[in-house]
Amino acid sequence: MPQKVFVSAQEVADRAGVSRSAVSRTFTLGASVSPETRRKVIEAADALGYHVNHLARGLMRNESGIVCLIVSDMATPHRSALVKALAQELQHSGKIAMLVNTDLLDGSVDLALRQAIRYRADASIIVSGMPDKSITQLCLKNGQRLVLINRDDEQEGPLRINLDDEEAAGRVVTAFLRAGRRRLAFANSEAGTPSLMAREHGFVAAAKAHGLEVVVERYGWTSYESGRVLAQRLLTLSGRPDAVFCATDLLACGFIDAARHQFFIRVPDQLCVAGFDDIEQASWASYQLTTFAQPLATIAREAVSWLESNETAKPEGQAHAIRLHADLVWRGSIRGG
Amino acid sequence: MPQKVFVSAQEVADRAGVSRSAVSRTFTLGASVSPETRRKVIEAADALGYHVNHLARGLMRNESGIVCLIVSDMATPHRSALVKALAQELQHSGKIAMLVNTDLLDGSVDLALRQAIRYRADASIIVSGMPDKSITQLCLKNGQRLVLINRDDEQEGPLRINLDDEEAAGRVVTAFLRAGRRRLAFANSEAGTPSLMAREHGFVAAAKAHGLEVVVERYGWTSYESGRVLAQRLLTLSGRPDAVFCATDLLACGFIDAARHQFFIRVPDQLCVAGFDDIEQASWASYQLTTFAQPLATIAREAVSWLESNETAKPEGQAHAIRLHADLVWRGSIRGG
DNA sequence: TTGTAGGCGTTATCAT
DNA sequence: ATGATAACGCCTACAA
């Protein structure tokens, strides 16, 4: 095995009998090279196993092609699906995703982000529950473009992609009413992220518009376990709810399991349940959860195409917000769909 | 907003009144700088918002700090948990994870890998079901160290981390026998990856050692849906199995749901079920699946520490294989745990 | 301990 | 269309 593993443009040039610049141009989109030269270069490159060094290219061009994915709870069904969609879309457009996990508590979030900055990532996509304002600030300050997904921050500069959570929540009220339910409840986590709160507010407001009160309960973070606890609390109430909207499918799964296995309540006969995200488990036979589909592909496409379109523009220039519609997916957890 | 976003070491040096090299040394681990100089440099760097440019550093050191995660089915519970563990561990040791998704069919696997090579990733960790031999070959050829997780390839060079699938499968037979079951079945996907096949062979062999035949069925890829189909096939057999080992938890969940909701079979009374991976859903009340835990943290730690220890060594030098034990997690899906 | 000089692999600029 | 040359930001000798 040779000591020197990587072959440089110079070596390719030597073998092809052309100049270094010719090699560079061959691998630069939209540069002018004669077909003959190009052929010779490609041939030599293949023979030698040459790959353009993006470290050096990034240094020159001041543009690395790296996009940083800042994400929390990434082992969660919804998050992992989103990350996958984003990674694929980035890959598809010739960029590459760097993964920064923000689940660790020891202040390594900040550390990780600085790491991304050191690699001169062109942009960051934040899929994290509650990023500090300082994080987004740091990104922008370092010339990164920024995409915020499902985070209705007030910030200027980044692209913000959101769902119409409030409107969706209103549709749940309609569905519950149509199923003949009047004792409504909302099960939320304590995370307090903008989209979760929007669902809560939308649900409560729509209910009030119909003259109904909603019992709201919040607990823990957005997990299956929290769903169980929330069920414990809501299903032991004197005027037990007959319909509950869970802020998240994961909560809903826990809620349904507790209702069924612990309280022997039948869904949807005795209790209607709705969720949000349309995670894979929502379609499983044990849950058959009526929920809202996150348009993952659209989110990813919008995010990446914005990054592409803004390639040359200054990061703080085009502030932009996209509001997407969430389709309701009817399954068995609400009666009379 | 200034045109120039990134501040260079030179600017920090100017402000601190020292030389460029002093700045470099301050940010290089184990270089000798006087406390006084270091202080001045740090101060100037903070004031200016300086971050070492890893693109340039990687160029010089011939070592990028980037580790490529090559992964398929990453939205799956088990895979996403593994990716998370790896990303965290890498982050923890100052490296950064690049995500390469191999789910797309259009030959973009190869494309993505080349992408990683272009960034001069120091290593690749393959968590993909069936990477072509050519992929691993390409990695090694380009001076990357390679970690293969749950892939018992014959290759020399990479670190191979595997579970003792066969031995684990044998324990399932014991458990089934202890529960009084004699009509054993194995539900597998058609993926044919080494670890899946090892579970199958281990199960069949252990059963044979007890004088029992196993009905083996394979279908589709490793998904919930496949589990349902497999149930359909196995539970309509004349001598219906009373115990089934599913190659994967995801298969098991589908299997259980079909058994319960479609055939009204009670688990574990009429049917014992075991799975593999210990995904989060295995612990959900609807499944209570007895399964084997993948030691994710250990896998991640072993992988990363091997990468660290081998930092300076040649990639093909230390071939190494690690075989990990999978702990059996007892839940309700096997009678008499 | 500190500063100076040279080079890493690439692309952009400017001639030709 | 092609080739020489100068950056890009950093690190590592080497000399002081």
Side-chain angles (χ1 to χ4, degrees):
Chain A
M1 195 76 172
Q3 177 78 343
K4 188 172 174 49
V5 276
F6 292 114
V7 7
S8 72
Q10 183 62 66
E11 302 176 60
V12 177
D14 290 348
R15 186 183 229 263
V18 297
S19 75
R20 207 169 39 203
S21 327
V23 177
S24 172
R25 276 192 281 264
T26 301
F27 293 103
T28 301
L29 218 63
S32 63
V33 197
S34 75
E36 174 57 13
T37 307
R38 153 167 260 114
R39 193 193 52 74
K40 283 193 293 187
V41 169
I42 297 280
E43 198 174 293
D46 280 352
L48 263 39
Y50 170 74
H51 299 272
V52 177
N53 188 333
H54 272 45
L55 266 37
R57 169 180 279 185
L59 201 55
M60 251 326 277
R61 288 201 181 157
N62 219 6
E63 174 188 309
S64 62
I66 296 172
V67 174
C68 185
L69 259 38
I70 301 178
V71 35
S72 67
D73 305 330
M74 64 157 292
T76 263
H78 167 56
R79 281 290 160 73
S80 59
L82 183 51
V83 168
K84 174 179 170 175
L86 287 167
Q88 286 190 333
E89 194 67 31
L90 286 170
Q91 216 162 299
H92 191 72
S93 71
K95 305 188 180 308
I96 194 122
M98 266 194 174
L99 202 51
V100 169
N101 186 292
T102 63
D103 287 335
L104 299 166
L105 306 170
D106 51 9
S108 67
V109 180
D110 213 59
L111 205 90
L113 181 56
R114 281 170 207 287
Q115 192 77 348
I117 291 173
R118 295 199 192 99
Y119 283 98
R120 298 298 188 261
D122 298 329
S124 284
I125 301 180
I126 298 194
V127 201
S128 184
M130 284 303 256
D132 285 324
K133 206 128 232 161
S134 67
I135 290 189
T136 61
Q137 226 58 341
L138 196 55
C139 284
L140 289 173
K141 192 173 173 183
N142 283 89
Q144 299 189 352
R145 282 178 302 290
L146 204 55
V147 179
L148 267 34
I149 297 182
N150 284 341
R151 320 222 58 262
D152 214 339
D153 280 293
E154 302 299 318
Q155 315 228 17
E156 276 306 303
L159 168 66
R160 307 183 312 262
I161 302 181
N162 289 283
L163 301 194
D164 202 339
D165 294 289
E166 296 222 16
E167 186 272 342
R171 277 183 279 157
V172 177
V173 172
T174 310
F176 282 164
L177 290 179
R178 204 174 291 166
R181 305 304 157 108
R182 312 281 302 172
R183 297 194 303 280
L184 273 35
F186 189 83
N188 204 353
S189 79
E190 290 175 314
T193 64
S195 41
L196 294 181
M197 294 315 285
R199 289 166 206 172
E200 179 179 316
H201 294 146
F203 189 70
V204 172
K208 177 160 282 173
H210 285 90
L212 292 176
E213 285 297 316
V214 172
V215 187
V216 174
E217 193 71 54
R218 302 195 197 102
Y219 175 81
W221 71 291
T222 315
S223 68
Y224 173 87
E225 263 315 317
S226 299
R228 301 196 52 151
V229 173
L230 288 162
Q232 211 114 7
R233 293 191 182 171
L234 286 170
L235 298 178
T236 50
L237 258 35
S238 56
R240 198 180 74 193
D242 55 11
V244 58
F245 181 25
C246 297
T248 268
D249 282 358
L250 222 42
L251 288 175
C253 287
F255 201 102
I256 290 178
D257 272 347
R260 188 173 287 155
H261 299 287
Q262 213 165 321
F263 296 97
F264 306 101
I265 293 172
R266 289 190 308 280
V267 175
D269 298 344
Q270 301 173 280
L271 178 72
C272 285
V273 181
F276 207 106
D277 285 347
D278 195 26
I279 63 177
E280 206 210 306
Q281 288 72 26
S283 72
W284 288 9
S286 287
Y287 303 101
Q288 283 299 308
L289 186 61
T290 293
T291 184
F292 291 93
Q294 293 255 8
L296 298 180
T298 307
I299 291 173
R301 202 166 350 99
E302 290 286 353
V304 175
S305 75
W306 184 77
L307 291 181
E308 282 187 310
S309 74
N310 266 30
E311 210 103 80
T312 51
K314 287 206 212 84
E316 358 63 66
Q318 301 61 355
H320 197 33
I322 296 177
R323 183 167 292 271
L324 263 24
H325 181 79
D327 281 326
L328 185 52
V329 182
W330 272 101
R331 298 204 184 87
S333 69
I334 300 184
R335 207 210 201 112
Chain B
M1 195 76 173
Q3 178 76 345
K4 188 172 173 47
V5 277
F6 292 114
V7 5
S8 72
Q10 181 63 65
E11 302 176 59
V12 176
D14 291 347
R15 185 182 229 265
V18 298
S19 76
R20 216 167 32 205
S21 358
V23 177
S24 172
R25 277 191 280 264
T26 302
F27 293 104
T28 301
L29 217 64
S32 62
V33 195
S34 75
E36 173 58 11
T37 307
R38 153 168 258 114
R39 192 192 53 73
K40 283 193 293 187
V41 169
I42 297 278
E43 198 174 292
D46 280 350
L48 262 39
Y50 170 76
H51 299 271
V52 178
N53 187 334
H54 271 45
L55 265 38
R57 170 177 280 187
L59 201 54
M60 255 322 283
R61 289 199 182 159
N62 221 3
E63 175 187 307
S64 62
I66 296 172
V67 173
C68 184
L69 259 38
I70 300 178
V71 36
S72 67
D73 306 329
M74 63 156 293
T76 263
H78 166 57
R79 281 290 160 73
S80 59
L82 183 51
V83 168
K84 174 179 170 176
L86 287 167
Q88 287 189 333
E89 194 67 31
L90 286 170
Q91 215 163 298
H92 191 74
S93 71
K95 305 188 180 308
I96 194 123
M98 264 193 177
L99 202 51
V100 169
N101 186 293
T102 63
D103 287 335
L104 299 165
L105 305 170
D106 51 8
S108 67
V109 179
D110 213 61
L111 205 91
L113 181 57
R114 280 170 207 287
Q115 192 75 348
I117 291 173
R118 295 198 191 100
Y119 283 98
R120 299 297 188 260
D122 298 329
S124 284
I125 300 181
I126 298 193
V127 201
S128 183
M130 283 303 255
D132 286 324
K133 208 127 232 162
S134 67
I135 289 189
T136 61
Q137 226 59 342
L138 196 55
C139 284
L140 289 174
K141 192 172 172 181
N142 283 90
Q144 299 189 354
R145 280 178 303 290
L146 204 55
V147 178
L148 267 34
I149 297 182
N150 284 342
R151 320 221 59 263
D152 214 339
D153 280 293
E154 302 300 317
Q155 315 227 15
E156 277 306 304
L159 167 67
R160 305 182 315 259
I161 302 180
N162 288 284
L163 302 194
D164 202 340
D165 294 289
E166 297 223 15
E167 185 273 344
R171 276 182 281 157
V172 178
V173 172
T174 311
F176 282 164
L177 290 179
R178 204 174 293 166
R181 304 304 157 108
R182 311 281 303 172
R183 298 195 303 281
L184 273 36
F186 188 84
N188 204 352
S189 80
E190 290 175 316
T193 64
S195 40
L196 294 181
M197 293 316 285
R199 289 166 206 171
E200 178 179 316
H201 294 147
F203 189 70
V204 171
K208 177 160 282 174
H210 286 89
L212 292 177
E213 284 297 315
V214 173
V215 186
V216 174
E217 193 71 53
R218 302 196 198 100
Y219 175 80
W221 69 291
T222 316
S223 68
Y224 173 88
E225 263 315 316
S226 299
R228 302 195 52 152
V229 173
L230 288 162
Q232 212 115 7
R233 293 192 181 171
L234 286 170
L235 298 178
T236 50
L237 257 34
S238 56
R240 198 179 75 194
D242 55 11
V244 58
F245 181 25
C246 297
T248 268
D249 282 358
L250 221 43
L251 288 176
C253 287
F255 201 101
I256 289 178
D257 272 346
R260 188 174 286 154
H261 300 287
Q262 214 165 317
F263 297 96
F264 306 101
I265 293 173
R266 289 191 308 279
V267 175
D269 298 345
Q270 301 172 280
L271 178 72
C272 285
V273 181
F276 207 106
D277 285 346
D278 195 26
I279 63 178
E280 206 210 306
Q281 287 72 27
S283 72
W284 288 9
S286 287
Y287 303 102
Q288 284 299 311
L289 186 61
T290 293
T291 184
F292 292 92
Q294 293 256 8
L296 298 180
T298 307
I299 291 173
R301 203 169 345 100
E302 290 286 355
V304 175
S305 76
W306 184 77
L307 292 181
E308 282 187 310
S309 74
N310 267 30
E311 210 102 80
T312 51
K314 287 206 211 85
E316 357 61 69
Q318 300 63 357
H320 197 35
I322 296 178
R323 183 167 293 272
L324 264 24
H325 180 79
D327 281 326
L328 185 52
V329 182
W330 272 101
R331 298 206 183 86
S333 70
I334 299 184
R335 205 207 202 116

